[in-house]
Amino acid sequence: MRRFVTVSHTADPSGAWSLNDLAGKAGRVDLLCRNIQSALFLSHGLRRDAEFYAVLERDAGRGRTVRIEGSRIQMLHPDERSTAARLQQALATPWSVPDWEEAQAGLSVAAFGLEGLLDDLAGKGDLVLLDPEGEGIADWMPPADPLFLLSDHVPFAADEYALLERRGAKRVSLGPAWMHGNHAISVVNWHLDRAEASRIA
């Protein structure tokens, strides 16, 4: 299983945004949607071995996380507007406890942010922080169940880096230049596909 986490520091966690202004008042929800598409979509289908976690942490202490499971999600389309609508659907789902509440098959929401998500995923994979200062991806052997961590257009804060360091996240670099998140995810998927093909051969 490959998992991708994008932490948004600006997206409105209420989901009460206009689908006509994803890059503005919604708080760059368009970036989340592009990352979702790069993580999950193939040309004529979805990656069944992938999950995506959109962590909305604009409001301190009131984080929410949306999970999309490639193996179970239905009617997910490769455009920003409809993907944003699916995020809204999840965020509008009522719950009484912080843990996962399913809005629809393969689409869930939880009332926690990055730290709560890391607790939830503990033991389910190896944390990999995409960072230009990490080990070069060409020389890196991916683990069986990698969990890739990216920030949005706002870099991780010092306390977030410290949290990831404490959790043992390994830094892996795609090169010296900062890339758009969706481009970075596409490169990672290519690398994982190539490594998997080599193992099978």
Side-chain angles (χ1 to χ4, degrees), residues 42-163:
L42 294 167
S43 180
H44 295 286
L46 293 172
R47 292 183 179 273
R48 299 297 174 181
D49 63 341
E51 294 178 354
F52 187 90
Y53 297 81
V55 181
L56 287 71
E57 288 219 301
R58 186 188 71 176
D59 301 333
R62 295 172 53 194
R64 293 185 182 181
T65 298
V66 175
R67 177 179 65 197
I68 302 176
E69 302 169 67
S71 62
R72 299 180 63 230
I73 191 71
Q74 299 175 3
M75 302 301 290
L76 184 67
H77 302 293
D79 66 279
E80 292 177 20
R81 185 183 175 90
S82 65
T83 301
R86 302 308 297 277
L87 292 175
Q88 283 183 322
Q89 179 186 0
L91 292 169
T93 302
W95 66 84
S96 57
V97 295
D99 296 330
W100 297 109
E101 187 69 33
E102 193 165 72
Q104 189 187 63
L107 179 68
S108 305
V109 64
F112 49 63
L114 178 60
E115 187 167 10
L117 176 62
L118 295 179
D119 289 339
D120 184 75
L121 292 175
K124 296 180 181 178
D126 296 281
L127 301 181
V128 181
L129 175 61
L130 296 180
D131 189 293
E133 297 181 4
E135 177 185 348
I137 194 169
D139 302 318
W140 172 69
M141 180 60 66
D145 295 299
L147 199 163
F148 296 95
L149 299 142
L150 304 90
S151 186
D152 58 358
H153 61 297
V154 178
F156 282 121
D159 61 332
E160 291 173 318
Y161 276 121
L163 170 63

